[in-house]
Amino acid sequence: MADVSRTGRRTTARLDEEFDRAAGRYDLLTRLNPGYHGALAGAAADLVGALPEGPLVLWDLGCGSGLSTGALVGAAGPRARIVGLDASAGMLAQARAKEWPPGVSFVHALAQDLPVVAAAELDGTADGVLAAYLLRNVPAGQRDDVVAAIVDQVRPGGWVALQDYHVKGDRRAALTWSAVCRLVVTPLAALTRGNPAIYAYLRRSVLDNDSTGELAARLHRAGLVDLRWSTPRGWQRGILHTVLARRPHEGETS
C-alpha cells in the first residue's frame, strides 16, 4: 500500500477533529434519519448471509460511534470476533462506552494504516469487512490503496460490504440530496446543537463522492468479483447504495 502523504494526513486529521466535535450528538441525529439504522442492519445481514455459518472474524471500518458494529453483532451473533476501526477518537469514545460481547474491540487508526493495524489485531485474515460511509472520507487519490488494503485483509472467498451515498452522475439524486441537507439535515443539526461544520462537509463530500460506476471500477481494479448492488426504499432510493463484492479464491478467474 502506498505511503499516505503529509498533506493527506493533515487533511484527514482536520476532518477527524470535526468528527470528534460531532461525536456527542451523532447517535441522536442518526436516530432522526429515517432508514439509517435499517440500512446498516441490511448491509450487515447481507454480508453475514454471504459468509459460511459459524463464528466469524469481521472488520468494521469507519465504525464511528459503533452503530455499524452493533449491526454486525446483530447479524453475526455474540460469538463473532469484530474489530471496529475509526480515525476519530471522539467517535471511538462513544463506541467504547456501550456494552459489547467479549469478541468486540476497537482500534484508533486510519483506514490507510489497515495493514499495520491488522497485523497487531488479528491472527490471519478476516472472513468479511463492512465499511459504511468510509471511502468518501478518504482522499480520492488514496481510495484505490485503501480498497487494495481491505482486499488483502480478507481471506480468499471472503466478502466486502460497502455502504455510502453516491449521487454523482444522477441529477435527480444530487438535487434530492442537496434539498434534504438544506431543509432537513442542517436545521436538525442546529436544533440538536450538532457540529455545523461536519454537516456542511457531509453535503459537499457526498456530491463529490465516487459515482457507483467509479466505485465499481475501484473494486474491480482491486480484484474483487461478483458485485451485488442494492438501494433502499424511501427518500434514500438511488442515493444510498450498498455493494457486496467477493475476493476470489486462489487461481479463480473473474
Side-chain angles (χ1 to χ4, degrees):
M1 178 175 167
D3 291 338
V4 179
S5 69
R6 292 182 181 180
T7 300
R9 284 193 178 273
R10 285 196 297 269
T11 300
T12 303
R14 288 194 295 270
L15 179 58
D16 296 340
E17 290 171 2
E18 296 298 344
F19 273 108
D20 289 346
R21 296 188 183 99
R25 292 287 187 271
Y26 186 80
D27 283 10
L28 172 60
L29 279 163
T30 60
R31 286 197 295 271
L32 298 174
N33 179 352
Y36 181 91
H37 291 271
L40 276 180
D46 288 346
L47 173 64
V48 171
L51 298 172
E53 293 185 3
L56 298 171
V57 178
L58 304 169
W59 279 103
D60 180 17
L61 302 181
C63 66
S65 64
L67 299 179
S68 50
T69 316
L72 282 174
V73 172
R79 295 175 61 197
R81 172 78 173 105
I82 302 171
V83 182
L85 178 149
D86 202 273
S88 165
M91 287 290 197
L92 284 176
Q94 296 292 318
R96 287 171 171 146
K98 300 171 182 177
E99 294 187 7
W100 300 103
V104 175
S105 63
F106 296 95
V107 59
H108 182 208
L110 294 171
Q112 292 90 322
D113 295 331
L114 180 60
V116 175
V117 174
E121 293 292 325
L122 294 180
D123 182 15
T125 53
D127 297 293
V129 172
L130 174 63
Y133 312 103
L134 171 70
L135 285 182
R136 170 167 46 85
N137 298 314
V138 173
Q142 298 169 16
R143 290 174 191 166
D144 275 353
D145 287 339
V146 170
V147 173
I150 291 172
V151 174
D152 283 344
Q153 300 309 318
V154 178
R155 63 168 176 78
W159 287 81
V160 175
L162 304 178
Q163 185 174 85
D164 211 332
Y165 301 112
H166 301 275
V167 303
K168 186 187 292 185
D170 186 332
R171 184 172 182 272
R172 184 201 62 80
L175 289 173
T176 300
W177 171 252
S178 293
V180 168
C181 287
R182 184 176 67 256
L183 300 176
V184 181
V185 175
T186 299
L188 281 177
L191 184 64
T192 59
R193 293 180 295 165
N195 177 12
I198 203 65
Y199 296 101
Y201 164 79
L202 171 65
R203 176 182 176 275
R204 295 192 309 271
S205 68
V206 170
L207 293 174
D208 293 338
N209 193 23
D210 287 347
S211 67
T212 55
E214 289 170 335
L215 177 58
R218 291 190 193 280
L219 301 182
H220 285 305
R221 284 196 293 270
L224 291 170
V225 298
D226 293 346
L227 273 60
R228 306 175 184 176
W229 292 89
S230 62
T231 187
R233 297 178 180 178
W235 77 268
Q236 296 183 111
R237 185 168 185 80
I239 296 173
L240 180 67
H241 299 267
T242 302
V243 58
L244 279 175
R246 180 174 63 87
R247 178 176 176 178
H249 292 281
E250 299 296 335
E252 180 182 353
T253 57
S254 57

